[in-house]
Amino acid sequence: MEQQDKVVILDFGSQYTQLIARRIREAGVYSEIHPCSTKAEDVKALHPSALVLSGGPASVTDPGAPELDPEILSWGLPVLGICYGMQLLAKDLGGKIVSSAEREYGRASFTCIKSSPLFDDWWAGSDMTVWMSHGDRVEAPPPGFEVVGVTDSIPVAAMADESRKLYAIQFHPEVAHTESGSVLLNNFLFKIAGLKPSWTMASFVDQTVAGLRERLGEAKVVCGLSGGIDSTVAAVLLHRAIGDNLHCIFVDNGLLRMNERQEVVDYLAKHFELNVKCVDAEDLFLSKLAGVEDPEEKRKIIGYTFIDIFDQEASAISGVEYLAQGTLYPDVIESCSFKGGPSAVIKSHHNVGGLPERMKLKLVEPLRELFKDEVRKVAAELGLPDEIIWRHPFPGPGLSIRIIGEVTRERLDILRRADKIVQEELRASGWYRRMWQGFAVLLPLKTVGVMGDGRTYESVCALRMVDSIDAMTADWTRVPTDILARISNRIINEVQGINRVVLDISSKPPSTIEWE
Ligand code: XMP
């Protein structure tokens, strides 16, 4: 079989690193992300066809700032440095860097001043909008490089050493705010590095299954199955790789939606030959959550309790060495658990940041590099039914992070009934498929209302409905007001305990999708 081209991305901690990988995958080229601290010999062993140096939050002039093993640049591979990656190339190869305490953040207008294959079909003679996020800047390029682009505020926005195939840009071509940024990346991949687009979702499935088979051998694996697309896809891939050595566990933590346990168990039985055990742990979770209000504490308690259950279930099956989870990339980056990536913790997603150190099992996460829409494509490739592929994401900590304040049985019951109405109305109106996620949130706030002739003093429920492609950014969905009105009327009339419904109209960032 012909060796497939592979781009290795060295990660210096940017929140956008995975987006680079994703854009490269979209172009049909296989790519892998590795920590910037990876030694040259280990990078070499990956047999890269080209390298990308990502952005990152540090300053190259800081003592202790992440560095690149200098040997890597001596192999003659095509290299693209982005933002921090550009500054590092400039510093390591003898250019001049200027530090600035102030960060330039946002859109900038880019002018190409010298033709370069990087700009083919992109630069048409008039300024292009690009996305910047940097403190330091390159003031003079290293010997051998030419300045090929500038902006109003920086003298070296792009530089190239065509003979060594070293290219660097200060802006981020991987984000949607950079006009046609994919054209630049594709020029690097195909025109400069001469790679071939041969990677597809089918090859992802084949490679992942083969990789899992090799890594796991005869080991047994328990897989936490939630019924959502991520864990289901992870389980189906594992099942292809190791067959009956996979033991799936569905934990009823008491934080599920109405009828969810039954629905999930039914459809898993209907569509897959997976070996699934259902564990009833409602009392355990609710007793541990009693009195807890802090969101991170809730997440950690839930993560720990899940792991205790998995450990316990695993010890009942002889020879289990691994725990499999359907963790996706946005969970990884926001929980800051990517090794070598010094990014900020946003939330401890229970299936990554909430894992206790004492966990006895080793982790296997076959989807750790993918975004949700890519997982949907993998699911389609695996032949999963639409009802799973298009199910809205439901977080591991379940309704507990949609109940602001303490989680009690009574409040769970109220939220479950409100949520059921939201789901029913979104499906009935056809809006379910049009949005990324839609759900209700119960607030720790009571307000006065009037029902019949009487005064009420009950809880407020918020509706959260968002559009997104990958959960990294999101905007609130413009649902027609008549649908909102129906949802609100039904909740207030049918759910005892709620007398007011409000709509969340915040985008991510600066808000997040879930409230906790
Ligand atoms: P946020 O709230 O971080 O959510 O904007 C982004 C997406 O991730 C889901 N989410 C989770 N999924 N475990 C999960 O499996 C978690 O702990 C978790 N927290 C949030 C959320 O529903 C949204 O789709």
Side-chain angles (χ1 to χ4, degrees), residues 438-502:
F439 54 87
V441 180
L442 189 64
L443 309 193
L445 189 66
K446 287 193 170 188
T447 66
V448 174
V450 51
M451 259 190 154
D453 292 328
R455 174 187 191 269
T456 58
Y457 186 56
E458 289 174 345
S459 295
V460 180
C461 159
L463 302 180
R464 182 67 165 146
M465 296 164 199
V466 294
D467 297 331
S468 178
I469 292 182
D470 51 25
M472 297 290 281
T473 58
D475 196 9
W476 59 282
T477 310
R478 279 27 173 204
V479 176
T481 47
D482 55 331
I483 298 168
L484 294 174
R486 260 188 78 73
I487 295 175
S488 164
N489 283 342
R490 279 195 60 194
I491 291 178
I492 293 169
N493 287 321
E494 295 173 34
V495 182
Q496 210 180 356
I498 294 177
N499 68 354
R500 190 177 298 271
V501 173
V502 298

Side-chain angles (χ1 to χ4, degrees), residues 21-29 182 186 199 373-374 377:
R22 179 202 166 98
R23 299 284 172 248
I24 295 176
R25 288 197 290 268
E26 280 169 356
V29 176
S182 295
N186 291 0
W199 189 85
D373 58 319
E374 294 179 304
K377 289 183 192 142

Side-chain angles (χ1 to χ4, degrees), residues 287-351:
S287 65
K288 294 204 170 186
L289 285 170
V292 177
E293 294 188 0
D294 179 71
E296 279 296 284
E297 215 184 315
K298 282 183 191 172
R299 284 174 172 275
K300 295 223 160 111
I301 289 172
I302 291 168
Y304 281 37
T305 311
F306 264 116
I307 295 302
D308 284 347
I309 292 174
F310 291 138
D311 266 341
Q312 207 179 327
E313 291 298 320
S315 60
I317 308 165
S318 76
V320 174
E321 288 175 43
Y322 291 90
L323 170 69
Q325 300 197 120
T327 314
L328 304 192
Y329 188 74
D331 312 340
V332 177
I333 191 73
E334 294 190 349
S335 304
C336 187
S337 77
F338 191 77
K339 264 204 316 202
S343 344
V345 178
I346 312 293
K347 295 178 183 182
S348 300
H349 281 218
H350 95 273
N351 42 1

Side-chain angles (χ1 to χ4, degrees), residues 19 35 63 73 78 93 96 124 140 151 174 269 301 314 345 351 400 423:
L19 270 181
L73 295 179
L93 299 173
K96 187 173 167 213
T151 68
E174 68 277 19
I301 289 172
V345 178
N351 42 1
S400 78
Q423 304 310 312

Side-chain angles (χ1 to χ4, degrees), residues 41 52 54 85-86 107 124 149 173 210 212 221 224 278 301 339 342 397 447 489:
E41 65 202 70
V52 174
S54 85
M86 164 166 174
R107 288 185 171 78
L212 288 170
V221 176
C278 195
I301 289 172
K339 264 204 316 202
T447 66
N489 283 342

Side-chain angles (χ1 to χ4, degrees), residues 299 334 347 349-350 393 395-397 436-437 508 512-514:
R299 284 174 172 275
E334 294 190 349
K347 295 178 183 182
H349 281 218
H350 95 273
W436 169 267
Q437 221 171 348
K508 172 184 179 175
T512 53
I513 297 176
E514 303 286 349

